[in-house]
């Protein structure tokens, strides 16, 4: 009997959720779009940073250590944009 | 179709809903997810406080006790290693100066030995040259004496031959002509013939 | 994660369909669990959950490592715990401080060392079997660390340049034409005082969270494929692929755990260096 009540309640809840779910659904789609857009720029940027770093390391292997540190710093700054996009994705999707 | 729902008691309950066109699509949802759930990004109080507390305790321990002790040990070892290196350098330099000194002494001795050998060689050479010269002069004297003896003997023989020839010639001429030629003319002619014959 | 269509269908038919409670978990199909079940952990005892335990363990492991290391004989060549600790110290000194702050920053070694070790040990449980939760994938620790860094570098700047000098250097960087200050000052204010701690926290948190979610996705995918109930002949061999990706990502997460600790520490060093010697 208790199980039946629970199941019935669950069904009602599913019905009630619909409007909210619809909103959440569109938010989820927007979230995916937001993250996809946020990943474009930093993707290109990180590619450029690594490419240039490899170039300069190949040209002057003696300065490789300094280049590597600076490269990681640059990657960290660029990557932050993509990560903010990722956080926006989670905020849109779950908040 | 399967739906995850939350009951009033807050438990998760899974129900399977048999719809006619439910083509195995799955869906899950919890009420907590959309409505009252804390944001997955929001920091949770207890995690923040405990994380902060443990980090700060760790930081204080490191700053006050652990790191200085470790660093002191590292510095001490590096200093001792550096001192060892310096000592080794000093020892090596001392050894190198000893080697240089020894080599200088060796060079002196070698030069002296070479000088002595040269001197000895020069005296020996001089003595030998003197002896050779002496012997040569002796030999030359003996040879000159022998040559003179030989020449004297040859002249004597030649005189005797010339005497004999001129006697024979005078005799022959006397027999042929009947007149005795002048002895000096004959002797001169014989001399001339012998001279040209010797030539 | 109910699709709109599905929800509408469910609401329309909720009265007519047969509702049947299932016995136990069905392994058929791939379904991503709600994100909070992946991130929020139940309290083991009141106020203490897995993430709290990991952060306490990180402090304890770090303390134990340096306690053992500091009490070893320091005259002989280091090995074991002492070697590890000395490698960490020299890494911080040579690769982080000397590259960013120079010799004058060596006084920050204990702070940065503690920060590096703590963040690293908080990151690494993400790939340790049966723990598999980076403590930094929750916002608490990154937020606190970033806030601490913010307080420390601002305090350093104020101490080194005086409150007026520091804020003058930050807000009105020398060498900029006067007219441009209308543009530069708000940008500098936001970037130095708001964006820096925010991006510091978000970078660490989001990297670890993204890694954690990636591992979850591929683990669930390989599980769903390998334990498929229908068409096993096709699905089980295909399941090897996400499993291979899972292995690769686990190896990649080792690198990320180190790299994020390194970047957090390096950026802290850069900010401290800027606060100590204003160059621009």
């Amino acid at each position: 009997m208790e199980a039946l009540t629970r199941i019935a309640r669950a069904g009602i809840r599913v019905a009630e959720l619909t409007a909210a779910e619809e909103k959440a659904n569109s938010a989820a789609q927007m979230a995916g779009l937001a993250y996809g857009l946020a990943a474009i720029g930093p993707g290109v940027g990180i590619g450029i940073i690594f490419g240039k770093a490899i170039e300069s390391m190949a040209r002057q292997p003696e300065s490789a250590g300094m280049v590597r540190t600076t490269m990681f710093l640059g990657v960290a700054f660029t990557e932050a944009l993509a990560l903010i996009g990722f956080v926006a994705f989670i905020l849109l999707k779950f908040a | 179709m399967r739906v995850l729902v939350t009951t009033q008691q807050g438990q998760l309950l899974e129900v399977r809903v048999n719809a006619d066109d439910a083509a195995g699509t799955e869906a899950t949802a919890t009420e907590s997810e959309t409505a009252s759930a804390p944001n997955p990004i929001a920091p949770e109080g207890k995690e923040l406080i405990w994380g902060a507390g443990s980090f700060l305790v760790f930081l204080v321990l490191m700053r006050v006790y652990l790191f200085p002790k470790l660093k002191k040990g590292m510095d001490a070892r590096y200093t001792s290693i550096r001192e060892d290196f310096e000592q080794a350098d000093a020892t090596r330099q001392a050894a190198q100066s000893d080697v240089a000194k020894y080599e200088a002494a060796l060079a002196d001795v070698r030069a002296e030995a070479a000088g002595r050998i040269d001197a000895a060689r020069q005296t020996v050479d001089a003595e030998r040259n003197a002896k050779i010269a002496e012997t040569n002069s002796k030999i030359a004297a003996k040879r000159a004496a022998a040559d003179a003896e030989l020449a004297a003997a040859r002249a004597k023989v030649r005189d005797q031959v010339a005497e004999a020839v001129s006697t024979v010639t005078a005799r022959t001429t006397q027999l042929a002509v009947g007149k005795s030629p002048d002895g000096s003319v004959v002797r001169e002619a014989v001399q001339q013939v012998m001279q040209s014959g010797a030539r | 994660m109910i699709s709109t269509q599905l929800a509408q269908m469910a609401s329309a038919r909720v009265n007519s369909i047969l509702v049947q409670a299932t016995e136990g978990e069905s392994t058929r199909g791939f379904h991503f669990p709600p994100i909070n079940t992946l991130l929020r952990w139940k309290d083991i005892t009141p106020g203490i959950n897995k993430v709290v335990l990991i952060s306490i363990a990180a402090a304890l492991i770090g303390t134990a490592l340096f306690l053992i290391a500091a009490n070893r004989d320091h005259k002989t060549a280091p090995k074991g715990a002492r070697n590890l600790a000395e490698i960490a110290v020299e890494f911080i000194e040579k690769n982080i401080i000397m590259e960013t702050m120079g010799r004058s920053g060596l006084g920050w070694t204990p702070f940065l060392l503690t920060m590096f070790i703590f963040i690293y040990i908080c990151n690494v449980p993400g790939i340790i079997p049966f723990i598999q939760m980076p403590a930094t994938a929750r916002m608490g620790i990154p937020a606190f660390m970033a806030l601490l860094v913010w307080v420390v570098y601002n305090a350093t700047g104020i101490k080194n340049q005086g409150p007026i000098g520091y804020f003058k250097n930050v807000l009105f960087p020398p060498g900029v034409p006067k007219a441009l200050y209308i543009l530069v000052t708000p940008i500098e204010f936001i970037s130095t005082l708001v964006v820096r701690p925010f991006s510091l926290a978000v970078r660490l948190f989001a990297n670890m969270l993204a890694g954690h979610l990636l591992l979850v996705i591929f683990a669930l995918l390989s599980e769903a494929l390998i334990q498929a109930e229908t068409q096993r002949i096709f699905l089980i061999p295909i399941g090897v692929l996400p499993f291979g990706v899972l292995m690769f990502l686990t190896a990649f997460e080792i690198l990320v755990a180190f790299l994020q600790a390194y970047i957090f520490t390096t950026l802290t060093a850069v900010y401290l260096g800027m606060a100590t010697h204003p160059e621009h």
Side-chain angles (χ1 to χ4, degrees):
Chain A
M1 187 59 214
E2 198 203 340
L4 267 178
T5 335
R6 269 195 342 217
I7 290 156
R9 276 214 192 103
I12 292 159
R13 190 143 299 170
V14 167
E16 281 171 350
L17 280 177
T18 314
E21 284 292 335
E22 196 165 350
K23 203 181 150 200
N25 186 45
S26 81
Q29 282 172 357
M30 293 316 288
L33 191 66
Y35 177 63
L37 288 175
I40 295 172
V44 174
I46 289 175
I48 291 174
I49 292 171
F50 270 100
K52 293 279 175 191
I54 290 166
E55 226 170 69
S56 55
M57 278 192 233
R59 256 179 220 184
Q60 280 172 303
E62 66 274 9
S63 68
M66 205 194 73
V67 170
R68 197 172 296 121
T69 309
T70 321
M71 176 187 82
F72 278 128
L73 284 183
V75 167
F77 284 125
T78 317
E79 193 191 39
L81 300 173
L83 292 171
I84 288 167
F86 176 69
V87 170
F89 164 76
I90 287 182
L91 280 175
L92 275 174
K93 197 153 160 57
F94 299 107
Chain B
M1 177 172 70
R2 210 183 46 171
V3 182
L4 272 177
V5 288
T6 319
T7 58
Q8 297 290 57
Q9 287 79 33
Q11 292 166 294
L12 270 183
L13 170 75
E14 192 179 65
V15 281
R16 175 164 280 180
V17 186
N18 285 339
D20 32 5
D21 61 345
T25 13
E26 305 281 342
T28 54
T30 52
E31 185 204 21
S32 59
E33 213 184 313
T34 45
S36 66
N39 194 311
I41 287 179
E44 208 169 331
K46 56 175 177 275
E47 287 167 4
L48 198 149
I49 291 166
W50 279 101
S54 44
F55 176 74
L56 288 178
V57 169
F58 184 28
L59 177 63
V60 168
L61 277 175
M62 286 287 278
R63 182 117 207 183
V64 170
Y65 176 68
L66 295 171
F67 182 76
K69 192 166 178 193
L70 184 79
K71 190 71 187 157
K72 212 162 72 184
M74 282 171 79
D75 285 346
R77 195 175 71 243
Y78 286 148
T79 327
S80 80
I81 287 172
R82 203 182 310 120
E83 275 166 5
D84 283 357
F85 266 113
E86 277 161 7
Q87 210 177 324
D89 275 349
T91 315
R92 193 184 298 137
Q93 273 171 2
Q96 271 168 354
S97 73
D98 280 359
V99 166
K101 232 181 262 173
Y102 165 76
E103 273 172 356
L106 199 67
D108 279 357
V109 169
R110 252 185 214 149
E112 204 189 322
R116 276 186 193 173
I117 286 169
D118 275 359
R121 194 176 286 148
Q122 276 168 5
T123 41
V124 167
D125 276 359
E127 277 171 15
R128 194 176 58 197
N129 287 344
K131 270 187 185 160
I132 285 170
E134 199 185 334
T135 316
N136 281 351
S137 65
K138 269 182 193 166
I139 289 169
K142 276 186 182 165
R143 189 180 285 160
D147 280 354
E149 236 168 76
L150 193 67
R154 192 179 284 159
K156 207 174 162 189
V157 169
R158 183 180 283 176
D159 283 353
Q160 280 174 356
V161 169
E163 193 69 29
V165 169
S166 46
T167 315
V168 169
T169 310
R171 197 83 180 150
T172 313
T173 315
Q174 193 183 11
L175 282 177
V177 183
K179 200 169 128 185
S180 178
D182 193 6
S184 63
V185 174
V186 172
R187 207 169 291 138
E188 203 168 298
V190 169
Q191 283 290 350
Q192 264 178 5
V193 171
M194 275 180 75
Q195 292 265 314
S196 61
R199 223 172 262 154
Chain C
M1 261 171 266
I2 285 181
S3 72
T4 324
Q5 200 187 355
L6 223 63
Q8 279 167 351
M9 187 189 73
S11 66
R13 295 174 184 234
V14 72
N15 294 321
S16 60
I17 53 177
L18 265 169
V19 180
Q20 196 177 28
T22 49
E23 302 275 324
E25 174 88 8
S26 165
T27 56
R28 215 178 127 193
F30 172 74
H31 54 95
F32 195 76
I35 193 164
N36 273 335
T37 63
L38 299 175
L39 292 175
R40 292 173 57 84
W41 296 86
K42 282 196 206 76
D43 283 4
I44 297 163
T45 59
I48 293 188
N49 63 11
K50 194 168 174 177
V51 175
V52 170
L53 273 185
I54 290 171
S55 58
I56 295 172
L60 283 181
I61 290 169
T63 313
L65 173 71
F66 278 85
L67 200 61
I68 293 169
N71 286 319
R72 285 271 172 83
D73 173 28
H74 65 260
K75 296 217 169 60
T76 52
K79 57 182 183 205
R82 180 160 188 114
N83 196 13
L84 206 62
E86 292 197 2
I87 287 172
V89 171
E90 289 189 348
F91 174 73
I92 299 290
E93 285 185 347
K94 290 207 177 98
N95 291 21
I96 293 182
I97 294 180
M98 292 306 280
E99 300 264 339
T100 54
M101 292 202 262
R103 184 157 288 281
S104 66
L106 285 178
W108 288 106
T109 312
F111 179 63
L112 295 175
L113 178 67
T114 313
M115 180 171 269
F116 178 81
I117 301 249
F118 187 75
I119 294 176
Y120 182 66
I121 303 180
C122 280
N123 285 351
V124 140
I127 44 118
I128 295 177
F130 307 111
I131 303 176
Q132 276 162 333
M133 176 69 204
T136 38
R138 300 290 293 144
M139 198 54 174
I141 294 169
F144 165 71
M145 302 292 268
L147 208 66
L148 182 69
V149 169
W150 186 81
V151 169
V152 167
Y153 79 72
N154 280 324
T156 311
I158 290 170
K159 195 183 146 204
N160 274 289
Q161 306 167 29
I164 298 160
Y166 175 63
F167 285 107
K168 192 170 156 288
N169 269 323
V170 166
L171 297 179
F172 304 98
V176 177
K178 288 231 154 39
L180 277 182
Y181 279 138
I182 303 167
L183 214 70
V184 168
T185 303
I187 292 175
E188 283 291 320
F189 176 78
I190 289 174
S191 90
T192 309
L193 298 179
V194 181
V195 172
R196 267 187 196 178
F198 175 73
S199 71
L200 210 53
V202 164
R203 180 178 301 115
L204 176 59
F205 159 73
N207 257 301
M208 298 322 290
L209 175 63
H212 185 58
L213 290 184
L214 267 182
L215 292 185
V216 168
I217 287 169
F218 279 95
L220 285 175
L221 193 57
S222 20
E223 194 216 7
L225 283 171
I226 287 168
Q227 297 197 337
E229 283 171 351
T230 52
Q231 294 171 319
R232 297 172 65 91
I233 296 169
F234 302 109
L235 294 182
I236 292 174
I238 293 173
V240 174
L241 293 175
F243 189 74
V245 177
L246 178 66
M247 291 296 107
F248 170 76
L249 282 176
T250 306
F252 183 66
E253 282 303 303
I254 299 174
L255 176 72
V256 168
F258 175 81
L259 206 62
Q260 288 312 313
Y262 168 71
I263 284 177
F264 197 98
T265 318
T266 307
L267 285 175
T268 306
V270 168
Y271 295 156
L272 286 171
M274 279 178 174
T276 323
H277 310 288
E279 276 153 307
H280 51 84

